[in-house]
Amino acid sequence: MSWFLKRKPFSTLQIPPSLFHQLRFFSRLEQEHSLHLSNTPKPTFIHPSSIVHPNAVIGQGVSVGPFCSVSSSAKLGNGCQLYPGSHVFGSTELGDNCVLMTGAVVGDDYPGYTIIGNNNTIGYHSVVGVKCQDLKYKQGDECFLEVGDNNDIREHTSVHRSSKTTDKTVIGDSNLIMGSCHIAHDCKIGNNNIFANNTLLAGHVEVEDYVHTAGATVVHQFCRLGSFSFLGGGSVVSQDVPKYMMVAGERAELRGLNIVGLTRRGFSDAEIRSLRAAYRKIFMSVDANAVSFEERLTEVEQHEELGHVPAVHAMLQSIRNSFADKRRGICKFRHWSSS
């Protein structure tokens, strides 16, 4: 005990130079060994109770849990994880680091293919890439689904393949698709969208980027949802939603601009002021009953200031596209007074 009390503190201990260099050498060897282990791919693991066809292509570091199945024409990228009771059917390709939670089903034995990109999560008991529910689908026709990267598809969601050989269902990158959503045949989904629980998209719906739906939203077939738009909870959308706008209601109506969403996505104060001014002139004009909708659009397009703002131009183009041939027009709006 006396030795312990009298010994020098660690900070004053002197390490001989030769020992110091040896310690540095062994430390460097340890770092290099750790780096080598981190770069070494993990071994592939397939549980004995799972059925993986010998012709399936399995990447490095794949983990297949109990009671799973992988078809003969399936491809699993490096680092994929199949939790117990998940299945990969038909001509299906999973990119690297995809995760199938318990009960998830990806792909179908029908002609065509399902391609899933990298870093996607398929939630518990979700069904992705199966035959569509369109009665016009002809037995034996090829049908397709393509999904990008970094998507989080949550539990009990269904995503269907296309209804015909000349089309495909497409989902882009970095989308959050919450529980019990449905994306029907031939839909086109962009990037960075958020679909809250029980959002239902009928066939051929087009969703651009940064669209946010609240819960229990229903979208009619062939509708288009413009970028940065917001759909209120319980809305039934039967016509297009232009860019930057907010809709709500049992039969959805325009309720102004999605100011919160625009602010979060980095739109400047000047851009938002210009969009607000343009929205008022189009949808809240005092003499809205005296001047036609087309005339109000033209007035904003020819406005000395507003007509040169890119965001305003994009909004106007989105509105005009909705009235093109065979389009459904935009959601209804009230002729509110700007006063």
Side-chain angles (χ1 to χ4, degrees):
M1 178 64 68
S2 60
W3 173 86
F4 178 78
L5 294 174
K6 294 179 180 179
R7 71 182 179 87
K8 294 181 180 180
F10 285 110
S11 59
T12 61
L13 292 177
Q14 300 295 322
I15 300 177
S18 58
L19 178 60
F20 177 76
H21 289 300
Q22 291 180 34
L23 291 173
R24 288 188 61 186
F25 173 76
F26 287 114
S27 176
R28 186 170 67 251
L29 283 180
E30 183 178 0
Q31 291 177 0
E32 291 176 354
H33 179 65
S34 299
L35 182 62
H36 173 72
L37 289 178
S38 64
N39 292 332
T40 302
K42 297 179 180 179
T44 295
F45 170 79
I46 299 176
H47 194 275
S49 65
S50 292
I51 301 175
V52 177
H53 196 280
N55 292 339
V57 178
I58 308 297
Q60 296 179 335
V62 171
S63 176
V64 180
F67 308 111
C68 298
S69 64
V70 180
S71 71
S72 61
S73 52
K75 297 180 180 180
L76 275 57
N78 299 330
C80 286
Q81 300 179 54
L82 274 61
Y83 278 63
S86 57
H87 305 276
V88 181
F89 293 129
S91 297
T92 297
E93 181 177 337
L94 299 181
D96 295 340
N97 303 310
C98 287
V99 178
L100 273 59
M101 305 304 294
T102 297
V105 175
V106 178
D108 208 331
D109 289 327
Y110 284 84
Y113 60 72
T114 297
I115 297 179
I116 310 292
N118 301 320
N119 305 310
N120 293 289
T121 299
I122 312 297
Y124 298 95
H125 302 285
S126 291
V127 180
V128 176
V130 297
K131 187 186 77 168
C132 68
Q133 298 174 148
D134 188 350
L135 295 179
K136 297 188 296 296
Y137 172 76
K138 297 179 181 179
Q139 198 79 1
D141 280 356
E142 291 185 314
C143 48
F144 310 101
L145 167 66
E146 294 182 3
V147 178
D149 303 330
N150 305 308
N151 295 286
D152 189 0
I153 300 174
R154 295 300 300 267
E155 58 275 6
H156 300 286
T157 290
S158 56
V159 182
H160 290 176
R161 289 190 192 178
S162 62
S163 62
K164 50 189 177 182
T165 59
T166 56
D167 207 342
K168 62 181 68 173
T169 305
V170 177
I171 298 177
D173 302 330
S174 304
N175 296 288
L176 171 57
I177 302 172
M178 298 186 191
S180 301
C181 289
H182 174 64
I183 298 176
H185 58 88
D186 307 295
C187 284
K188 304 292 186 294
I189 312 299
N191 307 316
N192 302 291
N193 298 295
I194 299 175
F195 300 156
N197 301 73
N198 295 292
T199 292
L200 309 178
L201 306 184
H204 302 277
V205 168
E206 296 182 26
V207 182
E208 296 181 353
D209 302 330
Y210 295 101
V211 174
H212 190 170
T213 72
T217 299
V218 179
V219 183
H220 192 281
Q221 61 186 11
F222 292 101
C223 284
R224 178 183 294 155
L225 310 181
S227 296
F228 305 98
S229 59
F230 178 84
L231 284 63
S235 298
V236 177
V237 179
S238 57
Q239 292 176 288
D240 290 359
V241 180
K243 288 179 183 289
Y244 316 129
M245 297 191 188
M246 180 169 55
V247 300
E250 190 275 330
R251 281 295 182 265
E253 296 181 343
L254 297 183
R255 300 296 176 88
L257 295 172
N258 180 21
I259 300 298
V260 173
L262 295 175
T263 302
R264 287 176 177 173
R265 300 316 312 171
F267 281 70
S268 67
D269 292 341
E271 287 177 308
I272 293 175
R273 283 196 301 270
S274 297
L275 287 169
R276 271 179 160 165
Y279 185 93
R280 290 193 185 100
K281 288 181 178 295
I282 298 170
F283 299 108
M284 302 173 65
S285 176
V286 175
D287 57 349
N289 294 322
V291 181
S292 69
F293 184 73
E294 174 63 30
E295 290 174 319
R296 297 198 299 275
L297 285 176
T298 303
E299 178 187 352
V300 175
E301 288 173 336
Q302 297 177 351
H303 193 277
E304 184 177 354
E305 296 180 1
L306 298 178
H308 299 288
V309 178
V312 173
H313 176 75
M315 183 178 74
L316 293 171
Q317 189 60 52
S318 177
I319 295 171
R320 289 202 176 278
N321 289 342
S322 295
F323 290 97
D325 186 37
K326 296 183 180 181
R327 298 301 309 173
R328 300 186 60 83
I330 65 173
C331 289
K332 304 300 182 186
F333 57 93
R334 301 175 185 177
H335 295 298
W336 291 322
S337 170
S338 59
S339 61

